[in-house]
Amino acid sequence: MEEKKMNKDIEFTDIPEGASADIYTNLKEKLESVQQFPGLYHFKFIITGGLDKVEELRKVLPDDEFLEQPSKTGKYVSITVKKQVQNADEVIEVYKKTGEIKGIMIL
């Protein structure tokens, strides 16, 4: 049996903007090459739009663990959300939903 090479080098530019099916196909392939499914996935966000944006994010991921780290200047909050996911499609759906929230950068 061939062992799958795990490459953890997904770049910020790999996260798609817009709704192009080709972009999401590319992201799905990259996710499947670096992540084992089902498993725990760490979503990372930077919030610059205020605390109300954190609440909007919690509505998308209501039952998941949030780790918040405010910046030293207080201008933004770094958030890691730990979520149990079944497959790459579930990860992409979360990115699509959170991408609709203004004031949130997806990392």
Side-chain angles (χ1 to χ4, degrees):
M1 181 165 54
E2 186 178 314
E3 186 176 323
K4 185 186 266 190
K5 183 180 176 188
M6 299 306 273
N7 180 356
K8 299 283 184 189
D9 296 324
I10 291 183
E11 300 291 329
F12 176 71
T13 55
D14 294 331
I15 306 301
E17 289 185 30
S20 170
D22 290 338
I23 292 172
Y24 286 111
T25 300
N26 183 36
L27 177 58
K28 181 177 178 177
E29 289 172 4
K30 288 182 180 191
L31 285 169
E32 289 174 342
S33 74
V34 299
Q35 180 75 29
Q36 290 185 342
F37 296 103
L40 189 64
Y41 189 82
H42 293 203
F43 292 91
K44 297 192 180 267
F45 305 96
I46 300 290
I47 296 183
T48 58
L51 294 178
D52 59 320
K53 300 302 175 184
V54 176
E55 292 308 313
E56 286 185 57
L57 186 59
R58 286 186 186 276
K59 288 178 184 175
V60 175
L61 299 158
D63 301 320
D64 302 298
E65 180 182 354
F66 275 62
L67 303 170
E68 298 179 29
Q69 179 66 44
S71 68
K72 290 180 182 179
T73 61
K75 292 182 179 180
Y76 66 88
V77 177
S78 172
I79 296 181
T80 299
V81 181
K82 296 179 181 182
K83 179 175 182 59
Q84 190 68 31
V85 295
Q86 296 303 307
N87 53 46
D89 292 325
E90 190 175 341
V91 172
I92 290 169
E93 283 306 309
V94 170
Y95 281 134
K96 285 180 179 179
K97 289 177 184 176
T98 57
E100 295 174 3
I101 303 171
K102 300 237 185 269
I104 292 183
M105 263 195 317
I106 300 169
L107 303 178

